Amino acid sequence: MGLELLARAVAERLARFARRARLRLAAGGGALRSRLYAAQVVRAEVCAEDGSIELAVELPDLELLQLARTAGVQILEVQGADMPCAPGMAYLQSTAVSSATKQR
C-alpha cells in the first residue's frame, strides 16, 4: 500500500531538470544558505570580503525563479540546457557497437 505513490513521487523527482547556477547571497542570507545545503543542491561556496556568499547550485528552473524573486539573492549565471555535461576541456564520446565487436 502506498508503493505506487512512492514510485510516482520518485519518478517525478528524477524527471525534474536541474540547471547549474551561480548565485550571490547577501551577508544576512545564512538561513537560505542553510536550507540550500539541507536540500543538498550546493556544489561549491566562496565567501567574499563584504560578507556575501557565492554559491554554485543545481536547481530546477522553478526553484531558480523563486530564488531570483527573493530579497538579498542575486543570480549571477545560469547554465542552459545546451551546456555540455563534461566540464572544462573534457569531452564525451561514444562509438557505435558493430557486430564484430559485440561479445558473444
Side-chain angles (χ1 to χ4, degrees):
M1 185 112 178
L3 289 178
E4 183 179 320
L5 289 174
L6 176 61
R8 191 178 316 149
V10 169
E12 183 179 303
R13 179 72 176 172
L14 292 176
R16 296 188 329 173
F17 175 74
R19 293 185 193 268
R20 290 184 181 206
R22 282 187 322 117
L23 51 101
R24 179 173 292 130
L25 303 181
L32 176 57
R33 176 186 172 273
S34 179
R35 287 197 313 264
L36 292 170
Y37 269 98
Q40 299 179 355
V41 298
V42 178
R43 303 297 175 245
E45 176 179 329
V46 176
C47 296
E49 289 182 18
D50 65 355
S52 65
I53 303 165
E54 187 175 313
L55 298 173
V57 298
E58 283 187 30
L59 288 168
D61 288 342
L62 182 61
E63 293 178 35
L64 282 172
L65 286 172
Q66 290 172 344
L67 280 177
R69 295 182 189 124
T70 303
V73 177
Q74 180 183 10
I75 306 294
L76 302 174
E77 175 186 17
V78 177
Q79 294 181 358
D82 58 338
M83 298 299 290
C85 55
M89 297 299 292
Y91 65 93
L92 301 176
Q93 179 178 350
S94 63
T95 57
V97 177
S98 71
S99 60
T101 60
K102 286 184 183 176
Q103 292 185 358
R104 298 177 191 189

